[in-house]
Amino acid sequence: MSIEKIIPVDKELVNIFGVNDQNLKFLKDKFRKIKINVKGNVVYISGDNAQTTDIMKILDEMLSMAERGEIIEIEDLKLMSNIESKDISNITSTNNISIIGSKTIKVKNVTQFKYIETIENSTITFGIGPAGTGKTFLAVASAVKMYTDEKIKKIVLTRPAVEAGERLGYLPGDLSQKIDPYLVPLFDSLEYFFGNETLQYLIEKRNIEIVPLAYMRGRTLNNACIILDEAQNATVSQIKMFLTRLGEDSKMIITGDETQIDLHNRDFSGLKKTRKSLSNIEEISVVEFKNSDIVRNKIVSKILEVFPDK
């Protein structure tokens, strides 16, 4: 199959194919069975019918991104070329998600894309994988998006208060001051989207709650998104207690890294047991991140290869 794609003359090719044609080189390397040649403002494509069609869809989306003034990066092309359905007509609008005001997030890889989709379409979502894959941040971003779209009325974030090698009792201050350090990562993510003043206001109104897992018992949460972070440090009974807090019109997201268990007895961790037991329930989905999905400094994934388990 041979086809031609004409790039409008008013479009700068560098905005589409990248500096030194880096985007074009990526497509050629990704689709090696396809011949892609550019002469002037015409792209000539020939080869396997299915892959040729896929490249045409990607080119169409690249043109749309250029028209919107967006910078096309290799990460965008990786995402577009790896989506199994190849239904990418709206992928960049999903890839760059407006959360609140001018705050947006950029989905970095296919697993993150599937994670966001799964959270939207499932009642309960497990996000499992190593540190640095964006599990917690994307969960918080999804909850904030639901809140700003008025799909929920409350965001509840919780963590088990389990120390990583140190003892709570040796920390200074009262119980609240001892627990606060465990909740800092959740505060940080929310503060990024709302800003400090708005976040404090929403916490005072109890539209947002950030609490230790132990404080969840006895509650029923309606019209809410409830996130359990660091779930590898919760027991089976604690995760069961958490799951049964689910009320009407609510969603739950459970995140954790099964290789970073801080419990005194690692066998007490309930994350792996719970998500395997529940995986056959239609409304519950599991998304697993790999080391290759890490979006922090690239050296992090190399470190985890050396220390695959604690």
Side-chain angles (χ1 to χ4, degrees):
M1 180 178 180
S2 298
I3 53 177
E4 298 176 5
K5 180 69 178 178
I6 300 175
I7 307 294
V9 293
D10 62 335
K11 296 292 181 294
E12 292 284 345
L13 292 182
V14 69
N15 294 338
I16 298 167
F17 295 125
V19 177
N20 297 322
D21 288 338
Q22 61 181 9
N23 294 341
L24 181 60
K25 290 174 183 176
F26 172 84
L27 291 175
K28 286 182 176 181
D29 186 61
K30 179 71 178 180
F31 299 93
R32 295 186 178 183
K33 295 181 180 179
I34 300 296
K35 291 184 178 179
I36 309 172
N37 294 302
V38 180
K39 293 183 180 179
N41 68 324
V42 182
V43 182
Y44 299 90
I45 306 168
S46 61
D48 176 80
N49 287 4
Q51 287 199 348
T52 300
T53 302
D54 291 341
I55 290 179
M56 285 298 295
K57 290 180 179 179
I58 292 172
L59 283 173
D60 286 339
E61 191 61 21
M62 291 170 73
L63 282 170
S64 296
M65 291 178 71
E67 288 176 359
R68 295 195 294 268
E70 298 177 20
I71 297 173
I72 303 170
E73 300 176 349
I74 295 296
E75 292 297 332
D76 297 311
L77 299 181
K78 286 181 180 178
L79 184 58
M80 287 188 276
S81 59
N82 283 321
I83 295 301
E84 293 177 5
S85 67
K86 301 302 180 193
D87 181 15
I88 60 174
S89 57
N90 295 312
I91 192 170
T92 51
S93 63
T94 306
N95 192 19
N96 295 276
I97 305 171
S98 176
I99 302 298
I100 179 172
S102 61
K103 295 290 184 180
T104 62
I105 60 170
K106 189 179 184 73
V107 179
K108 299 289 183 67
N109 53 54
V110 175
T111 309
Q112 288 192 349
F113 177 78
K114 291 179 179 177
Y115 186 48
I116 293 287
E117 272 199 330
T118 302
I119 291 171
E120 184 177 351
N121 297 322
S122 301
T123 303
I124 299 173
T125 301
F126 284 82
I128 311 297
T133 50
K135 304 182 302 296
T136 301
F137 182 76
L138 292 176
V140 172
S142 297
V144 173
K145 177 69 172 171
M146 288 180 230
Y147 181 80
T148 55
D149 289 346
E150 298 185 348
K151 293 180 179 178
I152 56 171
K153 295 180 180 179
K154 180 189 286 283
I155 298 171
V156 180
L157 298 94
T158 185
R159 272 184 161 194
V162 175
E163 60 273 10
E166 294 130 308
R167 293 288 178 261
L168 272 171
Y170 292 108
L171 295 176
D174 58 21
L175 180 60
S176 175
Q177 291 170 320
K178 290 172 189 274
I179 288 172
D180 280 350
Y182 295 99
L183 306 177
V184 165
L186 302 177
F187 275 107
D188 288 345
S189 296
L190 285 170
E191 193 172 40
Y192 171 79
F193 293 111
F194 288 112
N196 182 265
E197 288 187 11
T198 301
L199 175 58
Q200 293 304 322
Y201 171 74
L202 293 173
I203 290 173
E204 288 175 9
K205 287 185 62 181
R206 296 191 65 192
N207 288 24
I208 293 178
E209 294 184 46
I210 310 174
V211 296
L213 180 59
Y215 292 12
M216 295 288 289
R217 190 174 296 279
R219 304 185 64 183
T220 300
L221 295 164
N222 299 314
N223 299 298
C225 181
I226 313 110
I227 299 172
L228 170 58
D229 191 33
E230 299 288 348
Q232 76 274 4
N233 290 326
T235 64
V236 171
S237 60
Q238 285 177 319
I239 295 178
K240 177 184 175 183
M241 178 272 291
F242 172 79
L243 290 170
T244 53
R245 303 308 96 203
L246 185 69
E248 295 294 326
D249 300 315
S250 290
K251 284 181 182 285
M252 281 184 162
I253 308 169
I254 299 172
T255 69
D257 179 355
E258 292 167 351
T259 70
Q260 292 193 358
I261 299 169
D262 297 316
L263 295 170
H264 178 67
N265 187 335
R266 292 169 59 82
D267 292 334
F268 289 168
S269 176
L271 179 58
K272 183 181 292 187
K273 300 170 187 175
T274 306
R275 58 111 165 175
K276 285 185 176 179
S277 299
L278 300 175
S279 60
N280 291 327
I281 297 177
E282 184 178 353
E283 296 85 356
I284 299 177
S285 300
V286 178
V287 177
E288 295 194 39
F289 293 84
K290 301 180 178 63
N291 285 357
S292 57
D293 296 315
I294 292 172
V295 294
R296 289 181 186 164
N297 192 304
K298 291 181 180 179
I299 197 173
V300 175
S301 60
K302 295 179 181 179
I303 291 170
L304 290 177
E305 291 294 338
V306 176
F307 301 103
D309 202 348
K310 187 175 176 181

